[in-house]
Amino acid sequence: YQRRVRGFVMDQRLRTGSAVYQFLPHLTEIDLSLFGPCDEIPAQDIANQVTEVLCLKAQKVQLRSLERIDLLPSVVHLYLNDNELETLSDGLWKLRNLETLHLQRNKLTVIPDSIQELFNLKELNVSNNLIKSVSSSLIHLPNLKNFQLFGNPLTSPSVPLPLLKEGDEALLRFLKSNFTSKQSKCKLCIFGPAKSGKTLLISNIIKKLKHRQSLMRRVSSHPHAHSLNPPVLCVDT
């Protein structure tokens, strides 16, 4: 019987401890939506008793924290929409198997750069939050195909409304074009008396820049990264 169990809904009668999990070690889907108000996911209780959770739902439970979510590294689908989340804990980025992440209708103000660690992420919904800017780290998610961003007070980059509504590939193409087309330029002027080491200093700077350029090429060719243009080094002598 236990091997056939795929889903289980927590309700008010089962709030008083983790003993219920020991009878369902082969549970793969957990829905905490009827758990009632809870500040955080009982990750420790679940991890102690359940072998492998693939799908976890905690919707409309007034969730405020994702502390210890990293105790459930097997999670593939995570639904946390309609809660009170203002920030995302570092533990979330350790869920390397994650493919689906729903965070719509929370109180998030930013998408952290750390999201690029979720290499397998295919679907991301952060619509109807308080996000004002989008991080370039999103273009480092090679498998991301479904991306919803509408309903946020975006100021940077300025995304056309039709694209926000359309979402998915068109929006991702726009973001990639916006972030990869920008080139940063600076001019360095070094002054000093003759034989004071200016030439040696310039030589060392160029050497370090070329080394960084080489590292960027290796990073952009990584199988888990999108192809990005490395920084261009221009030197006038």
Side-chain angles (χ1 to χ4, degrees):
Y1 169 76
Q2 292 176 346
R3 294 182 182 277
R4 295 198 299 269
V5 173
R6 291 186 57 80
F8 187 67
V9 178
M10 293 292 294
D11 61 24
Q12 298 288 347
R13 294 169 299 175
L14 301 174
R15 292 181 60 186
T16 57
S18 60
V20 64
Y21 295 112
Q22 65 182 311
F23 300 107
L24 301 168
H26 300 287
L27 198 65
T28 58
E29 301 177 25
I30 295 179
D31 189 339
L32 304 174
S33 299
L34 299 180
F35 192 76
C38 61
D39 289 338
E40 63 180 38
I41 294 172
Q44 185 68 68
D45 292 342
I46 298 174
N48 287 345
Q49 304 293 345
V50 183
T51 305
E52 186 178 49
V53 178
L54 302 180
C55 179
L56 178 61
K57 298 180 180 180
Q59 302 156 304
K60 300 181 180 180
V61 294
Q62 300 178 28
L63 193 66
R64 297 178 182 275
S65 172
L66 295 180
E67 293 298 326
R68 299 188 293 180
I69 189 68
D70 54 307
L71 296 178
L72 304 173
S74 61
V75 173
V76 176
H77 306 288
L78 186 58
Y79 300 89
L80 303 173
N81 50 285
D82 298 277
N83 282 299
E84 303 292 327
L85 293 171
E86 297 182 1
T87 59
L88 301 174
S89 67
D90 291 340
L92 181 62
W93 318 126
K94 297 180 182 180
L95 305 186
R96 301 301 171 82
N97 294 313
L98 203 61
E99 295 182 4
T100 304
L101 179 58
H102 281 205
L103 294 164
Q104 64 269 33
R105 292 183 294 278
N106 274 280
K107 297 180 179 180
L108 301 173
T109 58
V110 65
I111 303 175
D113 290 341
S114 301
I115 197 169
Q116 64 188 336
E117 297 178 28
L118 302 179
F119 298 135
N120 294 306
L121 195 64
K122 296 179 180 179
E123 180 176 339
L124 175 63
N125 192 333
V126 290
S127 60
N128 294 296
N129 275 276
L130 303 173
I131 298 170
K132 293 184 178 181
S133 63
V134 178
S135 170
S136 61
S137 58
L138 285 169
I139 65 176
H140 294 278
L141 296 172
N143 297 304
L144 187 61
K145 302 298 181 184
N146 189 332
F147 178 43
Q148 299 297 329
L149 186 62
F150 62 87
N152 285 286
L154 286 175
T155 57
S156 176
S158 180
V159 183
L161 185 58
L163 279 182
L164 283 177
K165 292 182 176 179
E166 185 176 350
D168 297 349
E169 294 185 6
L171 177 57
L172 290 170
R173 283 198 302 270
F174 172 83
L175 293 176
K176 183 175 181 181
S177 174
N178 185 276
F179 286 124
T180 59
S181 62
K182 296 179 179 180
Q183 290 280 352
S184 297
K185 297 182 179 180
C186 70
K187 179 179 287 187
L188 176 63
C189 299
I190 300 177
F191 299 93
K195 298 182 179 180
S196 61
K198 299 189 299 297
T199 302
L200 179 60
L201 176 59
I202 292 174
S203 177
N204 287 333
I205 291 174
I206 292 174
K207 185 183 299 183
K208 288 183 179 297
L209 286 174
K210 286 183 176 180
H211 176 66
R212 181 175 180 273
Q213 198 171 32
S214 176
L215 288 177
M216 286 294 293
R217 287 197 182 98
R218 288 204 294 270
V219 169
S220 63
S221 64
H222 192 278
H224 291 308
H226 274 289
S227 179
L228 299 175
N229 294 324
V232 177
L233 173 63
C234 298
V235 179
D236 293 327
T237 58

